[in-house]
């Protein structure tokens, strides 16, 4: 075990390991590129849908079951399927990652808006706010903590799963995991996994910082 | 991409075997996950300082790619089903520990106090009052963990223990999408059925949540 950790440390800290097209720095950027793009696209799709369901109260059944469906969908199967259907491109990677992230964000956005006290919404209408004003000025700010939870959860899942890109011959940190698996090189697998985990934790902390910034000045109970 | 429907009737035995393997790996993981998560959660609930530590630890587990976790276990448990079960068990902990702690949080202090006042020892209060009242939230966690495990088993196909995930590998190598579609469809179906069974179990186990006058 100690031997393994020593090898891992030297794998992670050797200079040549970090440079070049197969180097850690490049793989890290690739991994971030897949993850960020997928999460952004997923948020662009999921936020409006979650907001619409939460605001109108229609389709809640769909929102709740979609989450379950999303969790059940095997990513490896989806990526293989899109790969066989569409050939060698990055589509399988992006489609699978977006499909992974969308349900989480929709469910949390919906849950956040559904949890807004109906009395507050009535009060907002009572003082003369229109439907869209209630949405933007009352519901959305109050739902923000749960919405951010959904986005953070989706981001962590996407970063951990973006290793799948290497499965269909692309880059990212998954390269070390799958190459290590093929070469029975445990140190490489461990190094790749550690980097992915660090990246996911870092992204979660960064988004946590954004969340604190957005919610600054609120009482602790409204965060 | 075309589906060759003729493949299905000829491979019912194979699909049944893979589905059974798949289910038994997933359910074992949830079983062991509960076995570990329940005591951990009870401790984290009782001793506040441990709470952040236990929840943080289970969150970090979540950031490790599942494929890597399986490979890391190889030197210890080899290409066996144990590797798949241990790896998936680790993932179920994230959901199970959190939901059990939150479930225990929802138990009204009055219920706990009443139990103590009637002379019940802490352990008895835990099993007869706290855990039953926390059951709806715990069961919500069990449902998520079960569906997640069923989906995760296919990742273990990389170490030859993937259940229905084997169909993804075969379909990929033979450029035969029908296999992959069959694998995805059966995984989804399995998750759906398992979830429905758990909903029914929960309904039967918590009669006070839906019986009038209770």
């Amino acid at each position: 075990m100690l031997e393994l950790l020593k090898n891992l440390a030297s794998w992670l800290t050797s200079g040549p390991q970090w440079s070049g097209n197969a180097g850690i720095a490049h793989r890290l950027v690739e991994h971030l590129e897949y993850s960020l793009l997928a999460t952004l696209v997923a948020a662009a799709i999921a936020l409006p849908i979650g907001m619409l369901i939460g605001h109108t109260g229609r389709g809640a059944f769909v929102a709740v079951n979609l989450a379950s469906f999303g969790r059940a969908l095997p990513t490896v199967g989806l990526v293989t399927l899109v790969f066989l259907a569409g050939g060698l491109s990055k589509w399988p990677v992006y489609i699978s990652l977006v499909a992974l992230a969308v349900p989480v964000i929709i469910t949390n956005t919906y849950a956040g808006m559904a949890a807004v006290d109906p009395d507050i919404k009535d009060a907002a209408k009572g003082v003369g706010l229109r439907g869209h004003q209630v949405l933007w000025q009352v519901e959305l700010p109050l739902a923000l903590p749960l919405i951010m939870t959904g986005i953070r959860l989706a981001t962590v899942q996407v970063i951990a799963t973006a290793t799948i890109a290497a499965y269909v011959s692309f880059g990212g940190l998954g390269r070390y995991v799958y190459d290590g698996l093929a070469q029975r090189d445990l140190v490489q697998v461990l190094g790749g996994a550690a980097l992915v985990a660090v990246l996911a934790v870092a992204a979660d902390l960064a988004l946590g910082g954004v969340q604190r910034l957005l919610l600054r000045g609120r009482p602790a109970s409204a965060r | 991409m075309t589906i060759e429907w003729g493949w299905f009737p000829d491979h019912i035995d194979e699909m049944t075997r893979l589905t059974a393997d798949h289910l038994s790996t997933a359910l074992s993981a949830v079983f062991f996950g509960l076995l570990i998560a329940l005591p951990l959660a009870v401790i984290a609930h009782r001793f506040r300082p441990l709470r952040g530590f236990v929840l943080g630890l289970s969150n970090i587990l979540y950031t490790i790619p599942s494929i890597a976790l399986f490979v890391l276990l190889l030197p210890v448990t080899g290409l066996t089903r144990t590797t798949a079960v241990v790896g998936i068990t680790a993932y179920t902990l994230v959901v199970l520990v959190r939901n059990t702690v939150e479930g225990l949080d929802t138990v009204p202090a009055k219920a706990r106090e009443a139990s103590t006042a009637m002379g019940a020892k802490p352990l008895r209060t835990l099993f007869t009052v706290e855990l039953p009242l926390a059951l709806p939230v715990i069961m919500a966690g069990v449902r998520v963990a079960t569906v997640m495990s069923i989906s995760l088993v296919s990742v273990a196909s990389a170490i030859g223990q993937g259940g229905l995930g084997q169909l993804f590998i075969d379909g990929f190598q033979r450029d035969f999408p029908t296999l992959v579609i069959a694998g995805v469809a059966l995984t989804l179906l399995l998750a759906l059925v398992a979830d429905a069974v758990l909903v029914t179990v929960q309904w039967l186990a918590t009669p006070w949540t839906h019986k009038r006058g209770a």
Side-chain angles (χ1 to χ4, degrees):
Chain A
M1 194 67 200
L2 200 64
E3 187 67 20
L4 190 66
L5 286 179
K6 242 191 257 170
N7 288 338
L8 176 68
S10 62
W11 186 86
L12 281 170
T13 50
S14 89
Q17 188 68 53
W18 279 83
S19 58
N21 268 345
I24 294 174
H26 184 70
R27 294 289 183 224
L28 204 66
V29 172
E30 283 177 333
H31 203 94
L32 265 179
E33 183 191 317
Y34 305 145
S35 314
L36 279 183
L37 193 59
T39 311
L40 282 177
V41 171
I45 297 171
L47 284 176
I49 298 177
M51 277 159 60
L52 194 72
I53 295 174
H55 182 63
T56 59
R58 283 188 206 130
F61 182 77
V62 178
V64 173
N65 285 288
L66 193 69
S68 193
F69 178 80
R71 264 191 296 272
L73 199 64
T75 311
V76 188
L78 189 60
V79 86
T80 311
L81 197 60
V82 182
F83 180 81
L84 291 181
L88 190 65
S89 71
K90 280 183 192 158
W91 280 106
V93 181
Y94 286 120
I95 289 178
S96 309
L97 294 180
V98 169
L100 184 74
V102 161
V104 186
I105 303 179
I106 289 185
T107 325
N108 275 273
T109 306
Y110 156 73
M113 301 209 20
V116 175
D117 189 342
D119 287 349
I120 298 181
K121 282 188 271 188
D122 280 347
K125 278 180 212 143
V127 298
L129 260 60
R130 290 168 187 281
H132 66 95
Q133 288 174 314
V134 177
L135 171 65
W136 290 104
Q137 296 172 21
V138 177
E139 288 177 296
L140 211 54
L142 286 175
L144 201 59
L146 261 180
I147 295 177
M148 280 304 291
T149 304
I151 291 177
R152 287 171 68 174
L153 213 60
T155 308
V156 169
Q157 278 185 348
V158 165
I159 290 178
T161 313
T163 40
I164 202 90
Y167 183 69
V168 284
S169 78
F170 289 103
L173 294 168
R175 207 59 275 160
Y176 300 120
V177 176
Y178 280 93
D179 288 351
L181 177 61
Q183 299 160 11
R184 292 270 175 264
D185 179 0
L186 200 59
V187 174
Q188 200 178 333
V189 177
L190 195 63
L195 288 168
V196 173
V198 168
L199 194 62
V201 171
D204 190 48
L205 288 176
L207 285 171
V210 171
Q211 185 173 356
R212 262 193 302 282
L213 216 61
L214 287 171
L215 300 178
R216 130 192 89 157
R218 287 196 194 181
S221 60
R223 284 180 193 172
Chain B
M1 190 169 69
T2 50
I3 304 177
E4 290 183 28
W5 295 103
W7 181 87
F8 288 90
D10 295 340
H11 293 82
I12 286 176
D13 284 352
E14 188 192 349
M15 285 190 286
T16 313
R17 184 177 53 81
L18 291 177
T19 307
D21 278 356
H22 199 105
L23 193 62
S24 92
T25 305
L27 292 186
S28 312
V30 176
F31 173 75
F32 288 116
L34 267 176
L35 222 53
I36 299 169
L38 284 179
L40 263 184
V42 168
I43 292 169
H45 177 74
R46 286 281 155 92
F47 306 101
R48 291 274 143 175
L50 277 176
R51 193 191 172 104
F53 176 73
V54 169
L55 290 180
L57 201 68
S58 60
N59 274 348
I60 285 182
L61 270 176
Y62 206 50
T63 63
I64 302 172
S66 42
I67 171 84
L69 195 56
F70 292 133
V71 177
L72 293 179
L73 287 167
L74 280 184
V76 191
T77 44
L79 289 167
T80 62
R81 176 175 286 179
T82 311
T83 308
V85 173
V86 172
I88 300 168
T89 301
Y91 283 100
T92 64
L93 291 182
V94 184
V95 187
L96 293 176
V97 172
R98 179 169 294 272
N99 274 56
T100 309
V101 171
E102 281 172 4
L104 290 171
D105 283 345
T106 64
V107 176
K110 286 208 172 80
R112 202 173 291 135
E113 285 157 14
S115 171
T116 311
M118 285 169 72
K121 297 247 157 52
L123 213 57
R124 192 183 155 102
T125 303
L126 177 70
F127 282 106
T128 58
V129 177
E130 297 184 272
L131 284 178
L133 285 177
L135 203 59
V137 184
I138 297 177
M139 279 303 286
V142 173
R143 286 174 61 192
V144 172
T146 305
V147 171
M148 204 174 76
S149 299
I150 289 175
S151 163
L152 265 177
V153 172
S154 50
V155 179
S157 54
I159 55 161
Q161 297 292 333
L164 291 164
Q166 191 56 44
L167 295 171
F168 303 153
I169 300 233
D170 292 349
F172 187 56
Q173 284 167 353
R174 289 159 56 189
D175 195 8
F176 188 32
T178 303
L179 290 181
V180 186
I181 292 169
V184 172
L186 283 172
T187 309
L188 287 177
L189 189 68
L190 205 55
L192 203 72
V193 172
D195 197 46
V197 169
L198 285 173
V199 171
T200 313
V201 168
Q202 182 184 349
W203 195 80
L204 292 174
T206 56
W208 61 88
T209 58
H210 52 83
K211 267 202 184 127
R212 262 191 297 165

